Structures are given as C-alpha cells and as structure tokens.
Amino acid sequence: MRKHFLLAAIFLFSSTLFAEQANLIFRESYRLADVQNLVMALNSENVEIKNFRGYKVTVEAYSNNTSRSPVIKRANKSIIIEHSKEHFYKADYCNLIIYIPYDYKLNSFEYISDSGNLSAEEIWSDKVNARSNAGSISFENLISGDTLSISTTKGKIKISKFKGEYFELTSESGAIQMNKVQAEYFNASSGSGQVFINLENAPVATSQIKTSRGNITVELPASENFNLQVLSNSGTFRDNIRDVRKSARGEHDFKYNDGGALLILQTSSGDITLE
C-alpha cells in the first residue's frame, strides 16, 4: 500500500511539472538585426535565458493564467517584456524562456524584477544592468564590454565566469558569489550576506569589497602584484597566500610581490580570508 501511494505521489508531482511547462501561451522569434537591446520589467515571473545555434532570438512564455501573462513588444530594435497589470496570486505562475544564439552581442541587457528569479546561460552585452528585490540573479559565462551592475535586496547573486572592464554588485542581505573573474576594477558590497570572489587577475585600479556582518573570501593567484588594505572592527584575517592568521581589528596594509593597485577588504564583524 505504501509503495502504491509513493508511486502515485511521484506521478502526480511529475504530471504537475509537465503541465506547467507544457502550457505555452506565447512564442515569437525575432531577426537578430531587430534585437540589439533586451529590456525586462517584471513582477514575479521567472526568466531563463538559453543559448542555441540559430539566427533569431525567440521568446516563449508559459503560464496557467493568460490574463496575467507579460506584455511582449518590439520597438527601436529592442525586445521589451513588461509584467501584466493584473495581480498575481499564489496559484498563478509565469515562466519566460528566451533563446539567444551563441556569441550574439547585445548593446544592452536590462532586467528589473520584484520577486522573480533570473538564470542566464550566456550573455554578451556592452552594458548589463540587473536589479531584483527578492529574487535571485544568476549568470553563467557573462561578458560585459563596458559595465556590469547588479543589485538585490534579499536575493542571491551568483556569477560563474565573468569578463569585463568593471563590475558593481550590491546586496542588502543575500550572498554574492563570483567565480573565474577577469576585471580591471570593481566594487562589491553586502549588508549581511557572504561575499566570495575568485579573481583570475589582480585589479589594475582601486577596488573594494565591503560587508557589514558577512564574511569576505577572495581567491587570487599568488603571483599577482597588488596592494591590500584590510579594515575590520572584529573578526579574523586569514592570509593563506603567506600562511598568516591574525586579528583583523583595525587597519592593516600589505604589499604582494611588486605591489600594484589597491584592493580594499572591509567588514564590521565578519572574517576576511585571502587565498
């Protein structure tokens, strides 16, 4: 009896997932020449961006309530996706999937959301601006020719592989995680979340990571040239490059190899680790 109940529960769960994904309410493809900017102003819709081998940008919307589906339009070589004016209830859902060809470069990528999540496989754009209140923002393989700006209130920020001139990340309570980062300079700050950044090169201009109550961890090749300034009211500073551990209270200045641009790591009550 128990076995039959478990199988029935699994079938019901699988059927529910399939029903949601199968409920396609909109699909439209656009020529690449007509898509230079991607602009999204959403409420609780989830967005997933995928790459494929093709010559058009395709937008798909899945929802169980067509009256609350987003409005999708095209103007001035931009795809503009705006949330419905109708109120979303807990039983409502809307998922957007946007297919962008590999290696296609946008002029700008803009994303604003209240509580939805953004997950993007690959974005190559001169400017990237993403803001969310309670949703998480995730990029995998992100190239920014000019600036990258991401901010959240409660959501997490996660970026795997970034290359660009400058980035600015801000989170009030969510964690920040970046891997395989190539940037000339940057600023990252979090109120109470953890900050982890894996740098493939030292910055060439003054850069800063700051938290109020979260820990900071920075990974950087030991052969890189840079100056480090550590500021903290409490917590421990762990320098795993030189195998040093000491109180982070106060201000400490260090020079690595021949020295270079200044990297500032500052926290009020968290630990700071360099490795």
Side-chain angles (χ1 to χ4, degrees), residues 15-80:
S15 300
T16 302
L17 289 179
F18 179 79
E20 286 191 353
Q21 191 65 16
N23 196 9
L24 175 67
I25 62 170
F26 179 89
R27 177 190 285 134
E28 189 68 47
S29 295
Y30 307 90
R31 298 184 311 157
L32 295 184
D34 296 328
V35 184
Q36 294 182 357
N37 309 291
L38 182 57
V39 181
M40 290 168 279
L42 303 173
N43 190 344
S44 60
E45 300 88 346
N46 296 314
V47 178
E48 184 177 5
I49 297 178
K50 297 183 177 182
N51 301 119
F52 76 111
R53 302 194 182 281
Y55 302 96
K56 292 185 177 182
V57 173
T58 299
V59 179
E60 295 180 348
Y62 298 84
S63 179
N64 63 344
N65 193 329
T66 56
S67 67
R68 294 175 176 85
S69 63
V71 177
I72 304 174
K73 55 188 178 181
R74 181 167 56 89
N76 299 322
K77 296 188 176 181
S78 301
I79 293 180
I80 303 170

Side-chain angles (χ1 to χ4, degrees), residues 118-150:
L118 169 66
S119 175
E121 282 185 355
E122 179 177 309
I123 293 294
W124 181 15
S125 178
D126 283 335
K127 295 182 179 180
V128 178
N129 182 18
R131 292 188 285 129
S132 178
N133 182 21
S136 296
I137 296 175
S138 175
F139 286 95
E140 184 173 352
N141 197 6
L142 173 60
I143 301 175
S144 174
D146 188 1
T147 58
L148 164 67
S149 178
I150 298 178

